[in-house]
Each structure stands twice: as C-alpha cells, then as structure tokens.
Amino acid sequence: MNNLIQIIQQYKTDTESVFNTWFVDNDQRLKAFRTIRRGILQVIDDIKNKAFPNDFKGSSLEFVLSCIAEQKQIFVGVAHPFYWKPKLRIPDIYENQNNKIAFGQFLENCINAKTEEQVVKEIVKLDELKIKGLGPAVASILYFLHPTWFPPFNTAILNGFNFLFKDKKKLGSWTEYLKIRETLIETNSKHKSELSNDLGAIAGLCFEIGTQKMLIGNDEYLSEDERTRFEKNILKRQKEIQEEKLAENLHNEMQYHLLKIGVSLGYDVMPASNDKSKSFNGQIFSFISISKFPELPTDKDTQNTIKLIDVLWFQKGTNNIIGAFEVEKSTSIYSGILRLSDLYFSISNGEEVFYIIIPDSREKDVILQLNRPVIKNSKMNIKYILFSELRSQCDAICKFGSDYSIMEKIAKST
C-alpha cells in the first residue's frame, strides 16, 4: 500500500478508466441517482400495497436494477442476483410474504435514513433474517441512495479489493461487505483529495484492478494467459468507449434537431439542465436556448426531475410547457417515461405533448414500455419518434410547421 498514491494517479490519468468514462463528468450517471431513487420508492409502494409480483420480471425492482445496469462501465450483471430462481427458491423475496415485507421495510428505512449508522443497523437486521439468496448485492442499490456512505459491490470490485489490500474477503456475506466498506472508507478518507467523497471513485479503482483492465506497476508478474486476457480486456474497453461516444453523439444530434424545431415553431426551448454546454454541428445548446429555466408551480424535487428532461418547449415568455421530449439511446426507455410522468402528474394541463425519441432498432422496446399497465391506465399520451424520421424531416418541419401539431406527422403511437 506504500504506492497507493501512484496507483490512484495511474487510475485518474488513464483516459479510458472508469474514473474518467463513468465517474467524472458523466451526465447519465448523475441522472441515474434521481431515477433509481424514484424507482425504489415505487418498489416500496408496490410491496406496501401488495402489488409486488412473485417474480423479478415485470416488477418495479427489475426497473431499478435495469437503471443501475445501464451504468455498464461498472454495473454489468447487477440484476443477476435478483432473478427469481424457482428451483432454488432464491432470492426468497417473491413468494415469501414476510420476507417481501421485510425487504420493503429495509428499503424504506434506508431511503429515509439520516445517518450511516441507521443504515448499518438495517443491514444487520436484514442479515439476521437470513433471507435465502438475498445478500450484499443489495449494496449496489444502497450506493445510489447514499453514495458517500456505501460503496457499490460486485465480483469485480471484490476481486480488485482483495488484490489491492492483499485480503481474502468473500462475496456473499454482509459481514464481509461491512468490513470491506470500513477499509474503503478509511482509505478514501486518507486520499479524499485525490479521490472523492462519493465512494464510487474508490470502488471504480477496485473494479479496474479486479477486471484486469488496470495493472499495478508492470506486468512482469503476469503469466502468458493472464497477459493475453489483459490485452483482450483493454481492447474490449476501447470498443465500449467508442460505442458510448457514438451513442452520445447521436443523443446530442437528436437534442439539437428538437431544439432547432422548437425555435423555428416560435417556442422558448430548454435542454436538460446538465446538457446546456453540449453542442452539435457547431451549435452550442445554451446559445439556442433561453438563459433561465422558468419557475414551475411544483416542489423543488419534482422541478429538478423535470429539468432533466432532454428537451422542453415553452410557450414564448411563459412557464407553460408545450412539448416534452426524452431521447433514449442505449438506456432504459422507462426511465425517460418516468421523467415525463413526473411532469404529467405534477403540472399537466392536458395540452402538452410527450414524445420518446428512439433509435429505429428499439421500436419494439418502446412499444413494450408504453404498453405497461401503469402507462396504459393513465391518461398520459406518450408517442414515439424514430431517429431516422427526426433527422430526415427536421428541415421540412422547420420550413412548413406552424405549431407543435406538425410533430404528429412523424410520431407513432402504440
């Protein structure tokens, strides 16, 4: 551990490490915290109201884990421990009602906790119940509730931890997880100026080491097979980063088309609050948009969620929202629907139009999500537009459109 500072610097200066591609300056990571928190509240409500199913698939818990898994730089496979395995009867929170209620109460107490000690007590209580198959994989949910108190946890993070700290901690034990947490918090506090208050940074370091995408020092200690695996992991990481950059460019392009159309139709336009500095085709979004987000007649938390909607159109000079658009590429379509529903259920007057903008290849996905009972049973009318249609028809809409109704020409409904 004498060279930990050098290891941290190596981690931070590698432009392809998860520190730079996931932890720092990642809008999708920041959006995920609010969406996941909202999803966990839905899990709690479903358990309270006896609406939580006896399977993982189709449950609100599946949505939460899907949102976490979208942070694919570090959370791929996070949902696997929660899949219902009927032959093994694990994890036993689907068929066993007492366990289901205990899990719901655990989540509620954790989300409302004011101190980390309260959450630790909840973990101890949950562990004492010995619910079969429900282990510290839940810690990845806790991270998105309290990122400065609890690090995420998976096999790769554990492997990196054991290698970095010369330890032999096990995967499936809450007791082991809490010991790992103590070590990471202690180490993080000593190197907070190089890392972060958010424990995702130091967990990301463990992940990089555990997946052999980062070597500590030179590679002389590697066998031929290990060196080959390391080189494959590096090539895989580079490919993933290239794909992510391409997807981000597509996202920016679609936002630009929507902003451009909104301006041409005579509306005030606003991108997501954390997207103002983005650009496409040499046009910075902040130069197209109004300078200040209009104050909405809703509470601060809901307004902050609405501010994360990818593009909003306002009636000129007012806070009256005319159109709301969520651009979804590789992420969960349902998370975009949730942000639109926050708008609908808080300040809708029935005149707004709601659209999901999707890659052509994801049309089946959006139809599936829009047919969810919670969406179908509401009066919220969400339509979708394909990337190819928005791109090819943008100039024509700008030229011939007179108001938002022109979007109906390229929109589809389920």
Side-chain angles (χ1 to χ4, degrees), residues 25-42:
D25 195 27
N26 186 329
D27 294 338
Q28 293 306 315
R29 186 179 87 92
L30 297 176
K31 276 187 178 184
F33 281 94
R34 188 173 297 278
T35 305
I36 290 163
R37 186 179 183 86
R38 165 78 186 272
I40 291 167
L41 289 171
Q42 186 63 55

Side-chain angles (χ1 to χ4, degrees), residues 363-381:
E363 189 165 7
K364 287 184 180 178
D365 292 342
V366 79
I367 290 171
L368 179 68
Q369 296 300 339
L370 292 178
N371 279 317
R372 278 176 175 260
V374 68
I375 303 299
K376 293 293 282 186
N377 295 338
S378 74
K379 294 181 180 179
M380 183 169 54
N381 184 20

Side-chain angles (χ1 to χ4, degrees), residues 28 244 246-252 278 327-333 357-359 361-362 365 387:
Q28 293 306 315
E244 187 61 31
L246 179 61
E248 189 61 31
N249 288 338
L250 278 172
H251 190 277
N252 292 351
K278 291 186 176 181
V327 180
E328 300 299 342
K329 45 187 197 308
S330 58
T331 53
S332 166
I333 289 168
I357 317 299
I358 57 162
S361 60
R362 300 203 68 193
D365 292 342
F387 278 13

